[in-house]
Amino acid sequence: MDVKLLFLLIFVNFNLAWSGKHDLYEGCSVYGLVLRDTEDLRILSNLEVDLDLDIWRRGMPGVRDAIVMTTPNNRQLFFEEIDKHGIEYYGKINDVVEVLEKHEEEVTSYKMQRNKALPFNDYPTYAQVNEYLERIASENPDIVTLVNAGPSFEERDVKYLKISTSNFTDPNKPIYFMDATIHAREWVTTPVALYSIHRLVEDLRGEERDLLDDIDWIIMPIVNPDGYEYSHTTDRLWRRTRSYRPELNATCYGVDGNRNFDVNFNTVGVSSDPCSDVYPGPEAFSEPETGYVRDILLENDRIQIYLNIHSYGNYILYGFGNATLPENVARIHQVGASMGAHIDVKKLSKANYYAVGNSNLVLYHSSGSAQDYGQMIVPFSYTLELPGYEYGFLVEPEYIEQINVETWAGIVESARMIKLFYNERLNK
Ligand SMILES: *[C@@H]1O[C@H](CO)[C@@H](O)[C@H](O)[C@H]1NC(C)=O
Ligand SMILES: *[C@@H]1O[C@H](CO)[C@@H](O)[C@H](O)[C@H]1NC(C)=O
Ligand SMILES: *[C@@H]1O[C@H](CO)[C@@H](O)[C@H](O)[C@H]1NC(C)=O
């Protein structure tokens, strides 16, 4: 055999073996869309449902472009629609497989250089997150309680920490509840939850004592452990849960956890196709994982703020997804705006400023979201969309620390504000 050919064969083989994991995204590309008005947002949202278009970032007309991923299946129809409506577009990622491979290499080499005891400055696995929660709880039994909410669909424990200097018995303290990674691929959100634990328990600074003394905390770093694990082992861009209901659809797994809550369930911004990324599930709370979030909201009547952390896009959003504003919208906006402004102070110059507002008016309609469900129960409920910079969901691990630190500044600010408002309510 020709030596060159042999070499080529070995090379091809090596490449195939090595890249097999991301083959799923063969022929997928990512585009920016220049949105002109809300009509363009409507068209985009229809494509999401009709073509199963994966919207990475929704965008704001005239301000922020939408980012979408096309597949070989929907590519042609997508461009027909975009051209028909005269929407301008440009390429962002030509070959998603190549970018996924590069991302995996970066994450792997970053992990090898790092101190494994600090999972909040890394992309930890589900097991590493549990180890961290267990260690923090066992080293700080006076202020930290580890709770196992129950099993996920695939029977992974959904765990969270309760942090309190008074074991959740002081009625004068508001509770701050945050969770992360309801959408599996939004990896950068879990470190923010872990870093918050770190700052409250392991690295409490003198000027932040009030946060621990005056507020109780509930922090759930992984809402959707099955999807999270799957995004580590098999499909980096997996978004949904991993429930399997062959009687409804034998091919597709999971539902969009963030459409699965019992608030305007299955009305707008959803698809009835069980394979869609915005499939809300057969019924509200069909997923055990969203049920655990509901239980926390219902069981703790002092929760004043619920922060449902996502990536990406630099948004702080509040209810309702049907454009109706909550009664206390002025204050909700005030706390959200202050949180965003405090993060903006520390942001990288290349990052977008935070945009703050009603999720429907800023982005587009939705139903069954965690944010909306939270808003029915607690005074302040937000979707926080962390930065993606130029990487989208595939933020290089070098940026995790930056995102942790800047986001913590926003969390601190929001915690102090809701404490103040809670005092006002108590003193009325
Ligand atoms: C905190 O309260 C729970 C009951 O709600 C109790 O089981 C637990 O032992 C208490 N922990 C501490 C450290 O007092
Ligand atoms: C399940 O999903 C696949 C892929 O979208 C589709 O072709 C099939 O018709 C669906 N089956 C049912 C029963 O809905
Ligand atoms: C929007 O949803 C909220 C929360 O369920 C509800 O209170 C409000 O009435 C809804 N608005 C409309 C116009 O349906």
Side-chain angles (χ1 to χ4, degrees), residues 112-369:
M112 288 190 318
Q113 299 156 18
R114 290 200 36 79
N115 173 355
K116 299 228 168 28
L118 305 177
F120 48 83
N121 281 341
D122 200 348
Y123 287 130
T125 61
Y126 165 73
Q128 287 170 328
V129 170
N130 278 350
E131 270 167 42
Y132 184 68
L133 299 183
E134 278 154 23
R135 179 170 71 72
I136 293 291
S138 73
E139 287 176 1
N140 304 276
D142 45 331
I143 55 168
V144 180
T145 311
L146 175 65
V147 182
N148 180 1
S152 65
F153 186 90
E154 293 177 345
E155 310 214 313
R156 288 184 185 85
D157 293 334
V158 179
K159 296 189 176 180
Y160 62 90
L161 292 188
K162 293 176 86 169
I163 302 171
S164 170
T165 55
S166 44
N167 199 19
F168 278 72
T169 57
D170 186 343
N172 295 314
K173 293 185 186 179
I175 300 173
Y176 196 119
F177 173 30
M178 72 172 91
D179 66 28
T181 331
I182 192 170
H183 286 151
R185 63 191 179 184
E186 298 169 8
W187 281 10
V188 84
T189 65
T190 287
V192 165
L194 298 180
Y195 184 71
S196 301
I197 295 168
H198 171 70
R199 287 296 293 263
L200 287 166
V201 179
E202 291 187 296
D203 185 20
L204 185 68
R205 317 258 165 107
E207 69 278 14
E208 287 177 359
R209 269 231 71 89
D210 56 312
L211 299 175
L212 186 63
D213 288 343
D214 303 343
I215 299 171
D216 289 343
W217 297 78
I218 299 177
I219 303 180
M220 182 186 274
I222 304 179
V223 175
N224 172 15
D226 299 346
Y228 189 76
E229 188 71 0
Y230 193 70
S231 72
H232 277 78
T233 59
T234 313
D235 177 353
R236 174 64 183 85
L237 294 174
W238 188 259
R239 165 177 160 111
R240 291 174 292 171
T241 57
R242 291 290 300 167
S243 54
Y244 187 53
R245 300 183 178 90
E247 69 282 11
L248 297 180
N249 190 295
T251 346
C252 292
Y253 288 69
V255 316
D256 182 350
N258 205 28
R259 301 286 182 277
N260 189 241
F261 287 73
D262 190 11
V263 51
N264 304 321
F265 179 77
N266 196 16
T267 53
V268 291
V270 290
S271 165
S272 55
D273 176 0
C275 300
S276 163
D277 259 349
V278 288
Y279 172 59
E283 64 198 11
F285 296 122
S286 59
E287 310 305 281
E289 300 86 355
T290 56
Y292 300 140
V293 173
R294 170 202 57 204
D295 294 347
I296 290 174
L297 287 164
L298 294 178
E299 283 164 12
N300 296 277
D301 57 4
R302 287 179 291 111
I303 297 179
Q304 297 300 297
I305 181 168
Y306 171 46
L307 193 62
N308 180 234
I309 312 177
H310 290 256
S311 81
Y312 64 96
N314 297 81
Y315 296 107
I316 295 173
L317 307 169
Y318 50 80
F320 291 99
N322 61 9
T324 296
L325 298 172
E327 271 175 18
N328 59 331
V329 62
R331 281 230 157 138
I332 294 175
H333 192 89
Q334 183 186 9
V335 172
S338 199
M339 185 179 354
H342 276 73
I343 302 175
D344 282 343
V345 170
K346 297 190 182 247
K347 81 179 189 66
L348 296 182
S349 58
K350 70 173 175 179
N352 287 123
Y353 285 92
Y354 267 89
V356 182
N358 170 270
S359 62
N360 184 306
L361 302 173
V362 172
L363 294 183
Y364 203 59
H365 63 205
S366 65
S367 57
S369 69

Side-chain angles (χ1 to χ4, degrees), residues 10 16 183:
I10 291 170
L16 281 179
H183 286 151

Side-chain angles (χ1 to χ4, degrees), residues 25-30 92-100:
Y25 292 95
E26 200 82 61
C28 293
S29 305
V30 175
K92 287 206 56 109
I93 300 175
N94 181 38
D95 180 1
V96 170
V97 174
E98 192 183 304
V99 170
L100 286 170

